[in-house]
DNA sequence: ATGATATGTTAGATTAATCGAACAATCAAG
DNA sequence: CTTGATTGTTCGATTAATCTAACATATCAT
């Protein structure tokens, strides 16, 4: 028996108005949400019944602790959806805002957290950001998939076979569980670039560079790490 | 005065049931949507009033032309959202289906078309797909941004300065409008890979390869095309 | 202090969406 | 053709969300 769309919008609005200016008046809410004051009175009554807001006759409107928690969760969904629509899809501001506020009532916390992660990834992964902001935006307008999208064919070999000075991207760490765990812990995880710094006379051990750190690997270990040459 | 969420779901359901099996019975709809038959009767009455469905007492339910058009638009939104939630975000099937059917009532055609484009781009751009299916999925679980995300530093030079055998990615075509238009038309657009096949004795013209085709460019033209070396 | 203006409340009504219970038509076997 | 199961309809009721119109209280300026 969670709140309906409308009530969620009321607490969200109270929450935001509270942040913008100290005291929240019923009229402010009505103005913001474009409804009649009588409608707000009704909504506040119901929020009060649910222990989410406090409203004394002719007084200010406040949210309870529980109300604030719920409101901030609603708002988080709003802002997450807004960012996605606006930053990734390039939807115009007005539409993105309106739709975010419609959609926010229907995304589960699982979906929200995935979407948040997606945005985080989008913001931190230069490569993705670039692809979206340049090639995708271009695709939106001209419908052309640029050849930069094609995967260059790649040679998959094991790390052991790399020569001094060569570099590749780790694709798989396929060793036994125990060794594997150690390697992963050292930063040898899929997606990372590795470069061979030096190889000992007998090919064992080899000195590699990953994330700027030097690491020494035994033949056995290097053998089961698959890398991709670009 | 568009349809409410509920009515949109009714036409969507009728549309889908119609595709699955010839005649659609009121009971089928009730079962599918988990509502009472009396509720369906009511919904059908309203759909009929809006000229979207036809339902004669004790008979089959059918959609009008207008009904089919509307229904298929609703369903398109459904499927688009579902694909995004499922394929890109990796939301589980049950959740993705449920949420797609909730969200579908609130996305504008502008947003829908952008999302469709995004999926199309996702499916055709190997690089993006790979980034999402490998690095993003990994990020979801372990929260690590892989170094593959970092933009390698790139040298920007003009196409003219490339030597035989070298290749780069077009970043900008900065010539005068008329020349520019011709170059773009020939496929020299941002995001495309170019390779220098041969350069004439005096450096003019140069023979380049783009999308597998040979193209001959004059110095003037090559001079104002910026490329990026990976 | 006394209006005018702004703010808030009440009452009564509407609309979409839903339900349950009782009733009615249709259909498939026997 | 009867009859029990399936299918469909009606009716009355509820709930959330909204409105209008009339009324009430508060606040601010002169
Ligand atoms: Mn909202
Ligand atoms: Mn919102
Ligand atoms: Mn739906
Ligand atoms: Mn749907």
């Amino acid at each position: 028996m969670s709140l309906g769309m409308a009530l969620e919008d009321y607490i969200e609005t109270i929450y935001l108005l509270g942040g913008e200016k100290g005291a929240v008046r019923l009229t402010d809410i009505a103005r913001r949400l474009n409804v009649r004051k009588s409608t707000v009175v009704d909504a506040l009554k119901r929020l009060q019944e649910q222990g989410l807001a406090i409203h004394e006759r002719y007084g200010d409107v406040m949210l309870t602790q529980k109300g604030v928690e719920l409101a901030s969760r609603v708002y988080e969904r709003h802002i997450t959806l807004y960012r996605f629509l606006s930053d990734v899809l390039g939807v115009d501001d007005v539409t993105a805002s309106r739709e975010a506020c419609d959609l926010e009532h229907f995304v589960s916390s699982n979906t929200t957290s995935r979407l948040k992660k997606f945005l985080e990834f989008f913001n931190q992964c230069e490569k993705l950001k670039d692809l979206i902001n340049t090639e995708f935006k271009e695709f939106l307008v001209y419908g052309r998939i640029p050849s930069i999208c094609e995967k260059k064919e790649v040679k998959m070999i094991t790390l052991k076979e790399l020569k001094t000075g060569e570099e590749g991207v780790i694709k798989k760490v396929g060793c036994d569980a125990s060794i594997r765990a150690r390697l992963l812990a050292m930063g040898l995880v899929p997606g990372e670039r590795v470069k061979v710094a030096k190889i000992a006379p007998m090919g064992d051990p080899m000195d590699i560079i990953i994330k700027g750190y030097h690491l020494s690997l035994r033949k056995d270990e290097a053998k089961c790490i698959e890398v991709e040459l670009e």
Side-chain angles (χ1 to χ4, degrees), chain A residues 74-162:
Chain A
V74 172
Y75 185 61
E76 184 188 32
R77 300 199 296 262
H78 179 115
I79 212 67
T80 304
L81 287 159
Y82 173 77
R83 291 256 73 92
F84 174 72
L85 293 173
S86 176
D87 300 352
V88 180
L89 296 188
V91 173
D92 68 282
D93 247 54
V94 176
T95 310
S97 289
R98 184 170 31 70
E99 286 180 9
C101 206
D102 285 341
L103 301 173
E104 78 195 352
H105 312 289
F106 302 96
V107 285
S108 62
S109 65
N110 178 31
T111 299
T112 306
S113 89
R114 280 169 186 271
L115 199 52
K116 273 183 69 179
K117 286 275 191 182
F118 183 81
L119 290 172
E120 199 184 332
F121 188 72
F122 172 76
N123 281 315
Q124 293 188 39
C125 186
E126 283 302 321
K127 212 176 191 174
L128 211 207
K129 203 176 206 166
D130 226 54
L131 210 50
I132 301 286
N133 287 335
T134 317
E135 328 304 347
F136 173 56
K137 290 296 144 65
E138 167 114 0
F139 176 68
L140 267 180
V141 182
Y142 301 108
R144 264 194 309 269
I145 302 274
S147 65
I148 203 185
C149 276
E150 284 159 28
K151 241 160 94 176
K152 288 191 193 158
E153 69 255 47
V154 287
K155 262 165 288 183
M156 286 285 269
I157 57 177
T158 69
L159 182 50
K160 200 198 73 172
E161 300 164 68
L162 275 188

Side-chain angles (χ1 to χ4, degrees), chain A residues 1 68 75 108 178 217:
Chain A
M1 46 105 53
V68 171
Y75 185 61
S108 62
S178 64
L217 287 186

Side-chain angles (χ1 to χ4, degrees), chain A residues 211-227:
Chain A
K211 290 191 198 178
Y213 297 106
H214 281 262
L215 226 60
S216 191
L217 287 186
R218 281 183 290 114
K219 229 180 195 168
D220 287 2
E221 297 164 335
K223 202 175 57 191
C224 58
I225 297 173
E226 290 178 34
V227 297

